[in-house]
């Protein structure tokens, strides 16, 4: 199979999907720029701030695209082969993931930029709202714990992409220094933009090169932030969560918007390098397209996540569909959307970009034959390094430098999702309590980071904990997407609008994720299970299944209620076609 032709086919499918099905879905919502968005009607300079679409897309893309669309496809390819992964990434993005993201964004702005939990409360019931908030809370805890673990490891030099690579600097100190420099640059950019108001192109020309330079600067100042002692991972974890506490309380213009904009360029450059490497590198596909429907161990027993259905889908996770995206869409992005027509490029288009990130990640394992036990990060770093060396004028003699730079850039910006998740947790708690004061914001943030802090302080510093929880993370994440689509489908039906385009993906993802959680629970409680992680995963899986059952019952009850009067600002029931910008 030709790698360039395969990649080109997927890209064409994504582009056609955006121009065709994306436009069709946007038309069902009747997007209209004459209708003021909450960014204007509730503008407060903290969370609500009208933002240009290009700037907002960079921030949104940076928030949703972290380690998920990279780790997931590589893990799935190792288990099942690249063929099923390509099909799920391409079709899942166009028909399910992007529909979910766009629908969550539009539903949020039509409900005053409230979270998807508020949509569930108004369309289903207060009981469903409470269950959904509990579900979101558990999902966010898994996100924060997993990404704090990943980031703390990078600050200690435990970077899978650099395993076995000899470099002339302290790897952990380099990443830590580069990360802090990058954040400070974002704050400076936010201040300059806020008070001096230069054109965006001028800010881009100055701060984007400085952001890439911060990675190089980290290698030159790598000794300054090296921690010693047995508990240094706990120390870094505490510092990271402390940063999240502060960052989630800052105005979006000061840190989140400029940081997301800069981080988006890093992702764009990696995508560009991947495309150029695939097209110009002449790499052959070194992995089988299909490895079977069931993966077994040496004794012939199916592995814990070895069934293609349902674990292919939840392992790839964010690369095709992610409930976390709905939280970002309704928690931060909807509060900054300048015009309704921007929903399509930011919501639907942002998910397709993430699918492209997943494709590039998948291609990195397709061109290598990794040794047994090689982690996804190491495979990704090696692949990106080879792509860089395939560029004209670079050459294989620069492979080490290319691998180090690509790995440093990736590791530096992975933790962007952490403070977004913390901000979302703060907003959800404040929404639940109906308290908007700064004091309550601080208390809500402290609650959000407090439970992950307990996990961080009690974790084994020698383990990569995110690998223990990845399958449950993927299942809960995609189940959150299904439940979000459930609430949106009820809203569309009760306001007399077409609803099948959200109901169909809702039903599919619901079946997949419920099956995965049931198998996780069964495995965790089986006699052969050992260790803390399988038991915790099993218990959480049961809780998530119970919450899901409650929400489905409440959705069925709401379905049979009389048609609801459209919300203020809602378009008429007939599909609008004249004000669509997809």
């Amino acid at each position: 199979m030709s790698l360039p032709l395969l990649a080109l086919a997927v890209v064409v499918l994504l582009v056609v999907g955006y121009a065709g099905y994306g436009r069709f879905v946007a038309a069902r919502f009747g997007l209209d720029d004459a209708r003021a968005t909450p960014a204007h009607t509730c503008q407060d300079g903290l969370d609500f701030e009208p933002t240009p679409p290009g700037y907002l897309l960079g921030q949104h893309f940076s928030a949703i695209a972290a380690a998920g669309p990279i780790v997931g496809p590589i893990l799935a390819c190792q288990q099942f082969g690249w063929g099923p992964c390509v099909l799920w990434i391409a079709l899942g993005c166009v028909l399910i993931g992007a529909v979910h993201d766009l629908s969550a964004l539009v539903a949020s702005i039509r409900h005053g930029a409230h979270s998807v939990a508020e949509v569930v409360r108004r369309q289903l019931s207060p009981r469903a709202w409470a269950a959904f908030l509990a579900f979101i809370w558990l999902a966010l805890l898994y996100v924060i714990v997993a990404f704090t673990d990943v980031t703390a490891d990078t600050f200690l030099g435990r970077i899978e992409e650099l395993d076995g690579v000899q470099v002339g600097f302290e790897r952990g100190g380099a990443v830590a220094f580069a990360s802090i420099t990058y954040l400070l640059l974002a704050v400076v950019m936010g201040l300059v933009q806020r008070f001096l108001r230069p054109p965006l192109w001028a800010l881009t020309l100055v701060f984007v090169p400085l952001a890439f330079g911060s990675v190089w600067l980290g290698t030159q100042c790598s000794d300054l932030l090296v921690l010693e002692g047995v508990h240094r991972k706990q120390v870094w974890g505490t510092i990271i969560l402390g940063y999240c506490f502060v960052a989630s309380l800052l105005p979006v213009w000061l840190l989140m918007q400029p940081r997301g904009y800069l981080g988006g360029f890093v992702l764009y450059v990696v995508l560009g390098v991947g495309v150029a490497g695939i097209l110009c590198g002449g790499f052959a596909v070194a992995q089988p397209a299909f490895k079977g429907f069931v993966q077994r161990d040496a004794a012939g027993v199916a592995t814990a996540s070895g069934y293609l259905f349902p674990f292919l889908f939840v392992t790839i996770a964010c690369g095709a569909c992610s409930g976390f995206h709905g939280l970002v869409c309704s928690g931060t992005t909807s509060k900054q959307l300048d015009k309704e027509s921007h929903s399509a490029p930011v919501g639907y288009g942002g998910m397709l970009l993430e699918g492209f990130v997943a494709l590039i990640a998948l291609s990195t394992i397709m061109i290598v034959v990794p040794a047994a036990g090689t982690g996804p990060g190491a495979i990704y770093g090696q692949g990106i390094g080879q792509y860089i060396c395939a560029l004209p004028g670079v050459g294989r003699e620069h492979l080490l430098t290319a691998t180090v730079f690509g790995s440093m850039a990736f590791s530096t910006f992975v933790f962007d999702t952490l403070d977004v998740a913390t901000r979302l947790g703060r907003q959800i708690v404040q929404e639940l309590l109906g308290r908007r004061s700064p004091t309550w914001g601080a208390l809500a943030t402290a609650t959000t980071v407090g439970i992950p802090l307990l996990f961080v302080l009690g974790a084994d510093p020698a383990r990569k904990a995110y690998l223990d929880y990845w399958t449950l993370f993927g299942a809960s994440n995609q189940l959150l997407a299904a439940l979000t689509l459930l609430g949106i489908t009820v809203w569309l039906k009760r306001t007399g609008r077409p609803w099948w385009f959200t109901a169909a993906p809702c039903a599919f993802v619901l079946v997949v994720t419920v099956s995965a959680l049931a198998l996780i629970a069964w495995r965790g409680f089986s006699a052969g299970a050992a260790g803390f992680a399988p038991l915790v995963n099993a218990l959480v899986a049961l809780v998530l299944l119970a919450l899901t059952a409650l929400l489905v019952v409440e959705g069925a009850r709401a379905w049979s209620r009389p048609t609801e009067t459209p919300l203020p600002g809602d378009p008429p029931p007939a599909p609008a076609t004249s004000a669509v910008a997809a």
Side-chain angles (χ1 to χ4, degrees), residues 124-419:
L124 274 65
S125 70
R127 185 185 298 109
W129 173 64
F132 196 72
L133 281 177
F135 196 108
I136 293 175
W137 186 256
L138 286 173
L140 283 175
L141 289 183
Y142 262 78
V143 170
I144 295 172
V145 169
F147 281 97
T148 299
D149 181 77
V150 170
T151 310
D153 272 339
T154 65
F155 286 4
L156 295 177
R158 296 172 181 166
I159 309 169
E160 290 179 347
E161 302 93 317
L162 299 182
D163 283 351
V165 178
Q166 298 298 319
V167 294
F169 51 83
E170 289 287 344
R171 296 181 293 186
V175 177
F177 192 91
S179 299
I180 293 174
T181 303
Y182 161 65
L183 292 174
L184 291 175
L185 277 173
V187 171
V188 172
M189 179 177 171
L191 291 170
V192 169
Q193 184 180 37
R194 185 73 172 186
F195 297 106
L196 299 182
R197 299 189 179 278
L200 185 58
W201 63 264
L203 286 169
T204 303
L205 287 177
V206 173
F207 284 95
V208 170
L210 289 177
F212 282 96
S214 69
V215 179
W216 171 84
L217 186 62
T219 66
Q220 307 303 304
C221 305
S222 61
D223 295 329
L224 298 181
L225 295 177
V226 176
L227 301 182
E228 304 293 340
V230 178
H231 300 292
R232 8 177 229 157
K233 182 173 181 178
Q234 283 86 346
V235 173
W236 270 126
T238 303
I239 292 173
I240 292 166
L241 291 174
Y243 154 77
C244 292
F245 176 87
V246 174
S248 70
L249 295 172
L250 294 177
V252 292
W253 60 263
L254 181 58
L255 175 61
M256 192 176 76
Q257 286 183 343
R259 189 217 61 219
Y261 184 73
L262 295 176
F265 274 93
V266 175
L267 292 170
Y268 300 146
V269 168
V270 172
L271 291 178
V273 166
V275 170
I278 289 173
L279 296 179
C280 305
F283 296 104
V285 176
Q287 292 287 335
F290 184 60
K291 296 183 178 181
F293 289 99
V294 181
Q295 297 301 304
R296 303 182 184 276
D297 58 22
V301 178
T303 58
S305 58
Y307 298 96
L308 186 144
F309 181 89
F311 290 112
L312 166 74
F313 305 96
V314 300
T315 300
I316 290 179
C318 311
C321 176
S322 171
F324 178 73
H325 294 185
L327 301 183
V328 175
C329 287
S330 65
T332 57
T333 305
S334 65
K335 296 175 174 61
Q336 303 170 69
L337 198 73
D338 186 27
K339 298 179 180 179
E340 282 200 355
S341 63
H342 299 166
S343 300
V346 174
Y348 200 97
M351 180 64 234
L352 297 187
L353 283 175
E354 175 143 353
F356 193 49
V357 171
L359 175 66
I360 297 298
L362 179 63
S363 72
T364 62
I365 189 173
M366 291 172 64
I367 66 173
V368 300
V369 182
T374 304
I379 295 169
Y380 180 79
Q382 293 167 17
I384 293 298
Q386 291 195 46
Y387 286 152
I388 293 176
C389 291
L391 299 177
V394 180
R396 297 287 299 177
E397 65 273 14
H398 299 294
L399 179 60
L400 174 62
T401 303
T403 302
V404 170
F405 182 81
S407 303
M408 289 279 292
F410 170 70
S411 298
T412 297
F413 298 108
V414 157
F415 74 100
D416 284 6
T417 301
L418 270 171
D419 62 78

Side-chain angles (χ1 to χ4, degrees), residues 131 135 479 483 486 510 514 542-556:
F135 196 108
L479 182 52
L483 296 177
L486 173 63
L510 194 63
V514 167
L542 288 180
V543 173
L544 294 178
L545 287 171
L547 293 172
T548 299
L550 191 156
L551 282 159
V552 169
V553 170
E554 291 297 317

Side-chain angles (χ1 to χ4, degrees), residues 62 176 581:
S62 180

